């Protein structure tokens, strides 16, 4: 398949409590699976930060970035770009959202984003050119977000331990003309390469990744897993 293959949804053991694979091992695994790039989308939400409420915000973000930095340092050795992202959950909803387009400074500058709610976060996203996609919108416990608050939807989630009802997510995205994403939702070795996208540009920054996704004229090929 021509183009560049990117993972869009991945968690590390170092940052996400549900992650079971060391960030050091991830780049080589994905290179062997034929991927050109990885987006690290560790969980950013009340649970992570409540466990660290005794720490300063700067210390909290340094711990949040540990998985990303570890992946990035290992990936640098093999020339693989790593995109900084997050899977954010706000404290007023069970919904989760994949976000790209920011750097580390954004996380230090804007504390406790999980308290904002999607409406206020959408305004901040517009100000900073972020891309927001609702993750697995038809999984149990999720409700479909107002389309004015999101750019896209994860229409294929490859995690084998959840029923994400990907066919319903695809219908939702098509009906509302949302940008479609596919991701492995990588937590364990068995999740490797179950999703992702193929794009026609080699991208090495979160900002450029968000800009590419927001361009509806780009031909994004969705990968459908195992």
């Amino acid at each position: 398949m021509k183009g560049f293959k990117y993972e869009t949804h991945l968690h590390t053991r170092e940052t996400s409590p549900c992650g079971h694979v060391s960030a050091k091992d991830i780049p080589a695994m994905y290179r062997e699976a034929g991927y050109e790039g990885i987006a690290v989308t560790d969980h950013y939400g009340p649970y992570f930060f409540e466990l660290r409420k005794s720490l300063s915000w700067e210390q909290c973000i340094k711990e949040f970035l540990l998985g990303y930095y570890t992946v990035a340092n290992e990936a640098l050795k093999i020339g693989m770009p790593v995109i900084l992202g997050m899977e954010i959950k706000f404290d007023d909803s069970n919904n989760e959202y994949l976000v790209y387009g920011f750097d580390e400074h954004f996380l230090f500058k804007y504390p406790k984003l999980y308290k904002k709610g999607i409406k206020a976060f959408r305004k901040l996203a517009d100000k900073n050119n972020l891309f927001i996609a609702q993750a697995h919108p038809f999984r149990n416990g999720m409700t479909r977000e107002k389309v004015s608050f999101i750019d896209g939807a994860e229409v294929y989630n490859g995690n084998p331990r959840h029923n994400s009802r990907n066919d319903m997510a695809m219908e939702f995205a098509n009906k509302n003309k949302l940008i479609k994403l596919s991701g492995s939702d990588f937590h364990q070795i068995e999740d490797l390469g179950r999703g992702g996208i193929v794009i026609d540009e080699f991208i090495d920054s979160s900002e450029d990744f968000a800009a590419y996704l927001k361009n509806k004229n780009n031909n994004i090929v969705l990968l459908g897993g195992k």
Side-chain angles (χ1 to χ4, degrees):
M1 181 181 295
K2 293 182 179 179
F4 302 95
K5 191 174 177 180
Y6 280 73
E7 176 63 78
T8 67
H9 191 165
L10 177 145
H11 302 279
T12 68
R13 186 173 70 190
E14 284 76 0
T15 297
S16 293
C18 50
H20 295 280
V21 181
S22 171
K24 288 185 177 180
D25 299 329
I26 289 172
M29 292 168 59
Y30 266 87
R31 174 54 56 83
E32 186 175 350
Y35 286 73
E36 276 75 34
I38 305 168
V40 175
T41 56
D42 276 315
H43 287 289
Y44 180 115
Y47 180 78
F48 179 89
F49 292 105
E50 283 299 313
L51 290 176
R52 295 162 175 80
K53 57 187 176 182
S54 64
L55 302 179
S56 69
W57 184 249
E58 182 177 358
Q59 290 173 313
C60 285
I61 292 302
K62 285 181 178 179
E63 292 201 5
F64 175 77
L65 289 168
L66 180 59
Y68 163 73
Y69 281 142
T70 305
V71 172
N73 287 338
E74 289 299 313
L76 185 63
K77 299 173 184 178
I78 57 174
M80 174 179 277
V82 177
I83 307 300
L84 175 58
M86 62 179 166
E87 185 173 15
I88 190 168
K89 179 184 180 299
F90 301 105
D91 59 9
D92 61 355
S93 169
N94 288 325
N95 288 348
E96 296 178 303
Y97 308 86
L98 297 169
V99 182
Y100 319 98
F102 59 93
D103 60 14
E104 302 95 309
H105 303 294
F106 174 85
L107 298 176
F108 289 112
K109 181 178 179 179
Y110 296 103
K112 299 182 179 179
L113 293 170
Y114 60 91
K115 290 184 174 292
K116 283 187 171 293
I118 187 60
K119 183 176 181 180
F121 186 73
R122 175 75 262 178
K123 293 180 180 178
L124 185 65
D126 289 340
K127 180 181 177 182
N128 290 275
N129 300 313
L130 309 186
F131 177 90
I132 306 172
Q134 185 172 5
H136 41 69
F138 284 86
R139 189 179 286 182
N140 290 348
M142 306 289 120
T143 58
R144 266 54 64 201
E145 189 52 76
K146 292 181 179 179
V147 296
S148 58
F149 294 154
I150 55 178
D151 302 297
E154 187 180 46
V155 301
Y156 183 87
N157 180 287
N159 190 300
R161 295 171 299 282
H162 291 277
N163 182 2
S164 296
R165 301 176 179 88
N166 293 319
D167 55 341
M168 298 173 72
M170 178 67 81
E171 289 180 16
F172 171 66
N174 285 334
K175 179 180 178 181
N176 293 287
K177 296 181 172 58
L178 295 168
I179 296 167
K180 305 178 188 76
L181 284 186
S182 167
S184 298
D185 199 359
F186 177 90
H187 292 79
Q188 302 180 21
I189 291 176
E190 67 173 333
D191 306 337
L192 177 68
R194 288 182 176 269
I197 60 175
V198 178
I199 58 180
D200 57 10
E201 291 183 19
F202 184 79
I203 295 174
D204 61 3
S205 78
S206 187
E207 294 85 353
D208 288 345
F209 195 65
Y212 184 94
L213 294 177
K214 291 176 82 168
N215 183 353
K216 293 187 177 182
N217 292 323
N218 283 325
N219 183 26
I220 299 172
V221 177
L222 304 173
L223 301 175
K226 300 176 181 178

